Amino acid sequence: MNLDITTTMVLVKGQDKTEQISWLKHDRKNQRVEVQYKSNITIYKYSSQNIKVLNKPKSINIEHCLVNIKGVPAYKVTKVLNFDTLHRIIYEIFMICVFMQKNENNPKQLNRDRLKNSILEKYKIPLLRLPTNHSGEEEKIKKKLDELL
């Protein structure tokens, strides 16, 4: 099953895991669902009770509206989708590129990088770290943008 976040939401044990899933397959005979995550090649088998697939959300008109998440304004929102009682917010796609110099062993820099990574990960902002040694940076940026679109 190809997962499109604008049409499908997959809950694994109540948690939205749609963007982390590479594919899933229902085994109706054994009442199981096989799931492979993008982060590794392991195939996980869940009881059908632990997987809920929501489809065909209703699009909420957000024209002339301000979208708040837990009281904080959300910016660059392009769509809000209603999957029954859950909502998915779709943001304008953008990516941050960081050009690195050779200071990867600097403890202060490593801490700053970890902090940046955690913030960007929390807000689902793609990060592409690139060396500054003219090793095909332009092609790497184009490839990453193609993956995001």
Side-chain angles (χ1 to χ4, degrees):
M1 170 185 275
N2 191 12
L3 302 179
D4 176 352
I5 64 165
T6 64
T7 60
T8 306
M9 181 181 285
V10 180
L11 302 175
V12 178
K13 298 182 179 179
Q15 298 284 323
D16 180 6
K17 299 289 185 178
T18 313
E19 293 183 82
Q20 298 168 29
I21 294 174
S22 178
W23 61 264
L24 60 86
K25 184 174 112 182
H26 293 274
D27 178 357
R28 299 197 194 290
K29 179 183 170 193
N30 296 314
Q31 297 184 354
R32 307 220 34 85
V33 179
E34 293 180 354
V35 176
Q36 183 180 29
Y37 293 93
K38 293 176 183 176
S39 60
N40 64 52
I41 61 171
T42 304
I43 296 173
Y44 296 87
K45 295 181 181 183
Y46 295 96
S47 165
S48 293
Q49 310 168 346
N50 291 322
I51 303 283
K52 187 171 185 181
V53 179
L54 305 171
N55 292 301
K56 299 179 184 173
K58 293 178 185 145
S59 185
I60 296 173
N61 183 354
I62 58 169
E63 192 176 350
H64 309 296
C65 293
L66 177 63
V67 177
N68 284 296
I69 302 170
K70 297 181 181 176
V72 178
Y75 298 98
K76 305 272 186 183
V77 174
T78 58
K79 231 183 237 186
V80 176
L81 303 171
N82 180 348
F83 287 89
D84 295 325
T85 59
L86 300 171
H87 294 81
R88 172 167 288 134
I89 297 173
I90 307 293
Y91 297 90
E92 186 176 297
I93 295 175
F94 69 98
M95 173 179 67
I96 294 178
C97 293
V98 176
F99 293 91
M100 302 180 310
Q101 294 177 344
K102 290 204 175 215
N103 59 355
E104 61 266 353
N105 293 325
N106 179 338
K108 286 183 180 179
Q109 184 61 46
L110 291 171
N111 284 335
R112 285 193 295 265
D113 288 347
R114 277 194 283 277
L115 178 61
K116 273 187 258 181
N117 292 348
S118 67
I119 292 168
L120 296 173
E121 191 175 297
K122 179 178 180 179
Y123 291 99
K124 297 183 171 130
I125 298 172
L127 172 65
L128 182 61
R129 292 186 189 277
L130 298 165
T132 55
N133 60 1
H134 304 290
S135 60
E137 292 89 348
E138 186 176 338
E139 292 80 18
K140 291 174 185 176
I141 292 170
K142 286 178 183 177
K143 182 180 176 192
K144 185 67 173 180
L145 286 170
D146 285 343
E147 288 172 16
L148 294 171
L149 300 174

